Amino acid sequence: MDLTEIGQRAKAAAAYLNRLGVAEKNKGLQEAARSLVEGEAEILKANCMDMDRARTAGMKKALLDRLELTPGRIQAMADGLMQLVALEDPTGEVLSMKKRPNGLMIGRKRVPLGVVGIIYEARPNVTADAFGLCFKTGNAVILKGGSDALESNKAVVHWLSKGLEKSGIQKDVIQLITDRNRETTRHLMRLNEYIDVLIPRGGAGLIRTVVENSTIPVIETGTGNCHIYVDEGADLEMALNIIDNAKTQRIGVCNACESLVVHRAEAKRFLPMLWKRMEEKSVEVRADAEACALVPGFVTASSEDWGSEYLNYIISLKLVGSLEEAIAHINHYNTGHSESIITNNYEHAQKFLDEIDAAAVYVNASTRFTDGNEFGFGAEIGISTQKLHARGPMGLEALTTTKYIIYGNGQIRE
Amino acid sequence: MDLTEIGQRAKAAAAYLNRLGVAEKNKGLQEAARSLVEGEAEILKANCMDMDRARTAGMKKALLDRLELTPGRIQAMADGLMQLVALEDPTGEVLSMKKRPNGLMIGRKRVPLGVVGIIYEARPNVTADAFGLCFKTGNAVILKGGSDALESNKAVVHWLSKGLEKSGIQKDVIQLITDRNRETTRHLMRLNEYIDVLIPRGGAGLIRTVVENSTIPVIETGTGNCHIYVDEGADLEMALNIIDNAKTQRIGVCNACESLVVHRAEAKRFLPMLWKRMEEKSVEVRADAEACALVPGFVTASSEDWGSEYLNYIISLKLVGSLEEAIAHINHYNTGHSESIITNNYEHAQKFLDEIDAAAVYVNASTRFTDGNEFGFGAEIGISTQKLHARGPMGLEALTTTKYIIYGNGQIRE
């Protein structure tokens, strides 16, 4: 099937989905979840083919781990779909309705986006996850997963579709692009006539490619060079625990802390404490010359370190002389994700919250909380680091738009 | 000055603007408005140069009219800025604040976008207008106007800046690109490091160019192939008045009606009435064969007519046999702008509102109401026909984003 046909089918499916009630959508999710578990053996078999091919091609261990499916992971995909059943459907709500002086009643109603395109890497669990979020919000979805996971994705989509069919849902609400050609992906990114929004899910390279090549509006889910600033007079024990948590509780996630900024006045007391804890946790500290002079174990940072998202057991450290200097440094190097100040100073806390330009700005807490579940959204499509449409963790609402509905009785414009 | 330097200055100005209070911003707008009127003679002189050059180059009359400034038009620009003073500043509002089970207080605060780029055509009034909207919402603005208006734009920006300076505002909050090189515009559209959002203002060609070439998120303000559907049993006198208004009250605007869809059951009674009124108003009706058979004065439509935005004294007309057929036709050919049904049937009104995919969907009213002022927003940046971020008429809020602010007391993630 060519892309134009896929697009036409998706557009028709979106109109159909828009007419579907929440009970029908929930039934579809339940059947799709059941069907995934039912198809376990076949999905695992397909995944084995992908794994074998990837191993032969010399894929790295971390990527192989992401590609691999197990009965537990299939169950987790099914559980994810079931969790969506319990969440409120955001579509259909009328956010406001007002009467204008001329008698027109103008309201704003939350509606599905329409057709959502998802471009992702070789992680077959994203297939079920992205489908579920789009379906719950009444959007048709076109999936383009990493080629290395093609057999797995085909099997997952097959069993999801089987479940949908069982509950009487049209099959075009989910479509997978099975073409391995790179040109197809380029074409997909310019299919403005049929796709309303494109969401890349994956690493920095994938996201950059989509941002640079898509003519369809993109929701950018981004990288995180997250900072923690230890202010003068901060509770240093608290600072240490928060830094430890933000750096090491989970390495390799976008809300992990990558950069420290420390007020000079606390350097002598704090840096040795920090050094000890980081050494215990095998974290290399790349610091400026002044900090290195205080702690010989620190490694001298290069200018590239300030802007690096390591996703590894490394953290950068810079000393500053004032809150203003800290804010300027962070606003220069951050990626608009999550930044935290550790302070006891009221004015400083407010100033940091006001002036740091990022999706989530914290006082006295770990950056690791930037997450849909931690924010209480129940589900998450990703964390937006752009400023249009959605910023920060995106729940189901990020997959909706609004339209104005206007009730008149013959009004014409004077 | 090169683009990188302009970008850097704008980013610094955005941080400065974010710290500015509403009183200071309003004072800046007032002084800028006064200064424009003060600079009238010089602005008119600069505009004369642009007009002379454009006439010599053979610019069309309609475009010359848009390019021309008069004392009245300069006063209107100043009045526009003064109107913004009276509007509420949307930034700073905390939209929600909730305590999570772990004690974190998570709030969502409305903040400026940062740096807004505006690319527009040879209409010098947009210069003051776009600056005012961005400035009121705390955004630094980079303006790239049509080359034909360069002298006028320079003069307008000069006098706006003079007013800002008088009220103590940093001059980098407004920057004009004075380079006529097309490559500069291409470079501007890829200045992701410094520009948060790009807004094209102008005709379909300009907007397409920006959508296709920008890697910066774009707010698309679009074209309007707006439909009116006359349902079976509709009040035909009302239908006629609404069509007349939507087509002829102002030709050449995006919310004007371009396409009619009429239920077959009303054709015999309605088409002659329509023909009479359209003839009076010199509107050519391009209709399908069945309608042409009923009214010999109609012109036979080609398939291209269904998708045309004429912006002229022409309207297309198609007969249908059902509401469903009307909805399918409109959803196929519309541009996501404004669509209206004329009906007395409750179910049909609701179905039309639910199923038409457009920014504004009307029952028994003219499509001409899709407008920021008519919707009660006080000001308008444009009408978005895309689905991300903003849809329909955009008021000041469309120039803002949100950030999460989180108050903790030592929370770490388990």
Side-chain angles (χ1 to χ4, degrees), chain B residues 179-209:
Chain B
D179 186 338
R180 289 177 196 264
N181 193 333
R182 268 171 183 271
E183 266 316 302
T184 306
T185 309
R186 295 216 167 246
H187 183 185
L188 178 70
M189 291 191 276
R190 306 184 80 86
L191 213 63
N192 296 51
E193 197 180 343
Y194 303 111
I195 302 181
D196 294 292
V197 179
L198 208 55
I199 307 178
R201 287 185 60 166
L206 172 74
I207 289 161
R208 202 177 319 115
T209 301

Side-chain angles (χ1 to χ4, degrees), chain A residues 150-163:
Chain A
L150 186 56
E151 296 304 326
S152 313
N153 287 338
K154 280 203 259 192
V156 169
V157 169
H158 172 78
W159 287 93
L160 289 172
S161 301
K162 249 187 127 128

Side-chain angles (χ1 to χ4, degrees), chain B residues 349-365:
Chain B
Q350 295 297 342
K351 193 177 165 74
F352 193 84
L353 288 174
D354 280 347
E355 297 186 13
I356 289 291
D357 189 17
V361 191
Y362 292 83
V363 178
N364 295 344

Side-chain angles (χ1 to χ4, degrees), chain B residues 107-315:
Chain B
R108 200 162 160 238
K109 189 176 169 184
R110 195 177 284 289
V111 297
L113 284 167
V115 179
V116 177
I118 314 259
I119 299 183
Y120 54 109
E121 290 166 342
R123 298 183 68 170
N125 63 313
V126 173
T127 308
D129 188 28
F131 153 73
L133 292 159
C134 290
F135 184 74
K136 176 78 188 197
T137 44
N139 295 292
V141 68
I142 298 177
L143 300 164
K144 174 71 183 77
S147 299
D148 295 322
L150 187 56
E151 296 305 325
S152 313
N153 288 339
K154 280 203 255 189
V156 169
V157 169
H158 172 78
W159 287 93
L160 288 172
S161 299
K162 248 185 130 130
L164 292 174
E165 200 183 344
K166 205 168 171 185
S167 55
I169 308 270
Q170 285 185 9
K171 68 175 176 28
D172 289 343
V173 300
I174 174 170
Q175 292 184 84
L176 178 72
I177 293 173
T178 54
D179 186 338
R180 289 177 196 264
N181 193 333
R182 268 171 183 271
E183 266 316 302
T184 306
T185 309
R186 295 216 167 246
H187 183 185
L188 178 70
M189 291 191 276
R190 306 184 80 86
L191 213 63
N192 296 51
E193 197 180 343
Y194 303 111
I195 302 181
D196 294 292
V197 179
L198 208 55
I199 307 178
R201 287 185 60 166
L206 172 74
I207 289 161
R208 202 177 319 115
T209 301
V210 174
V211 166
E212 282 180 6
N213 292 289
S214 175
T215 53
I216 300 167
V218 171
I219 300 183
E220 190 176 344
T221 58
T223 50
N225 178 20
C226 304
H227 294 73
I228 294 178
Y229 167 57
V230 182
D231 193 25
E232 181 174 11
D235 177 335
L236 296 182
E237 202 54 51
M238 183 199 281
L240 200 59
N241 290 333
I242 287 174
I243 291 167
D244 183 354
N245 181 261
K247 180 70 234 177
T248 71
Q249 192 249 356
R250 198 165 160 208
I251 294 284
V253 287
C254 62
N255 57 17
C257 177
E258 305 287 5
S259 300
L260 298 179
V261 182
V262 177
H263 195 286
R264 199 162 275 134
E266 303 296 348
K268 274 196 182 141
R269 269 181 65 213
F270 185 64
L271 297 191
M273 292 165 67
L274 177 74
W275 162 239
K276 186 163 170 278
R277 182 76 68 93
M278 292 295 106
E279 211 189 11
E280 275 169 36
K281 297 292 180 86
S282 310
V283 176
E284 176 180 312
V285 180
R286 298 195 185 164
D288 61 15
E290 191 183 345
C292 285
L294 291 169
V295 179
F298 288 170
V299 174
T300 306
S302 74
S303 61
E304 273 167 31
D305 282 296
W306 310 133
S308 289
E309 184 189 23
Y310 303 113
L311 301 172
N312 205 341
Y313 288 87
I314 308 169
I315 199 163

Side-chain angles (χ1 to χ4, degrees), chain A residues 93-387:
Chain A
E93 185 186 4
V94 176
L95 304 171
S96 66
M97 172 81 74
K98 269 189 189 167
K99 198 167 201 161
R100 298 289 305 154
N102 61 3
L104 282 181
M105 288 282 293
I106 303 185
R108 199 162 162 238
K109 189 177 169 183
R110 195 176 285 289
V111 297
L113 284 166
V115 178
V116 177
I118 314 259
I119 299 184
Y120 54 109
E121 290 165 345
R123 299 184 67 168
N125 62 312
V126 173
T127 309
D129 188 29
F131 152 74
L133 291 159
C134 290
F135 184 75
K136 175 77 189 199
T137 44
N139 295 292
V141 67
I142 298 177
L143 300 165
K144 174 71 184 74
S147 298
D148 295 321
L150 186 56
E151 296 304 326
S152 313
N153 287 338
K154 280 203 259 192
V156 169
V157 169
H158 172 78
W159 287 93
L160 289 172
S161 301
K162 249 187 127 128
L164 292 174
E165 200 184 345
K166 204 168 170 184
S167 55
I169 308 272
Q170 284 184 11
K171 69 175 173 34
D172 289 344
V173 299
I174 174 171
Q175 292 185 85
L176 178 72
I177 294 174
T178 54
D179 187 338
R180 288 175 196 265
N181 194 334
R182 269 170 182 271
E183 266 315 303
T184 306
T185 308
R186 296 214 168 247
H187 183 186
L188 179 70
M189 292 191 276
R190 307 183 79 88
L191 213 63
N192 296 53
E193 197 180 344
Y194 303 112
I195 302 181
D196 293 293
V197 179
L198 208 55
I199 306 179
R201 286 185 62 168
L206 171 75
I207 289 161
R208 202 177 319 116
T209 302
V210 174
V211 166
E212 283 179 5
N213 294 289
S214 175
T215 52
I216 301 167
V218 171
I219 300 184
E220 190 176 342
T221 58
T223 50
N225 178 21
C226 304
H227 294 72
I228 294 178
Y229 167 57
V230 181
D231 194 24
E232 182 175 10
D235 178 334
L236 298 183
E237 202 54 50
M238 183 199 279
L240 198 59
N241 291 332
I242 287 174
I243 291 166
D244 183 355
N245 181 260
K247 181 69 234 177
T248 70
Q249 194 249 353
R250 200 167 159 206
I251 294 285
V253 287
C254 61
N255 56 18
C257 176
E258 305 287 6
S259 301
L260 297 179
V261 182
V262 177
H263 195 284
R264 200 161 275 137
E266 302 297 347
K268 274 197 182 139
R269 270 180 67 211
F270 185 62
L271 298 193
M273 292 164 67
L274 177 73
W275 162 239
K276 187 165 170 276
R277 182 75 69 94
M278 292 295 106
E279 211 189 12
E280 276 169 36
K281 298 291 180 88
S282 308
V283 177
E284 176 182 312
V285 180
R286 297 194 184 165
D288 60 16
E290 191 183 347
C292 284
L294 290 168
V295 179
F298 288 171
V299 174
T300 305
S302 74
S303 61
E304 273 168 28
D305 282 296
W306 310 132
S308 288
E309 185 191 25
Y310 302 112
L311 301 173
N312 205 340
Y313 287 88
I314 308 169
I315 199 164
S316 73
L317 189 160
K318 191 178 171 60
L319 295 181
V320 292
S322 67
L323 173 65
E324 288 71 19
E325 201 186 327
I327 290 172
H329 177 80
I330 294 171
N331 278 344
H332 189 264
Y333 288 104
N334 84 351
T335 54
H337 199 296
S338 304
E339 320 298 328
S340 184
I341 183 174
I342 317 300
T343 191
N344 264 318
N345 183 308
Y346 175 84
E347 290 277 353
H348 287 191
Q350 295 297 342
K351 192 176 166 73
F352 193 85
L353 289 173
D354 280 349
E355 298 187 11
I356 289 290
D357 189 17
V361 191
Y362 292 82
V363 178
N364 295 343
S366 171
T367 55
R368 287 279 293 115
F369 288 108
T370 304
D371 174 278
N373 287 307
E374 293 293 333
F375 275 32
F377 299 163
E380 185 194 279
I381 307 122
I383 295 167
S384 163
T385 53
Q386 68 176 34
K387 294 182 178 178

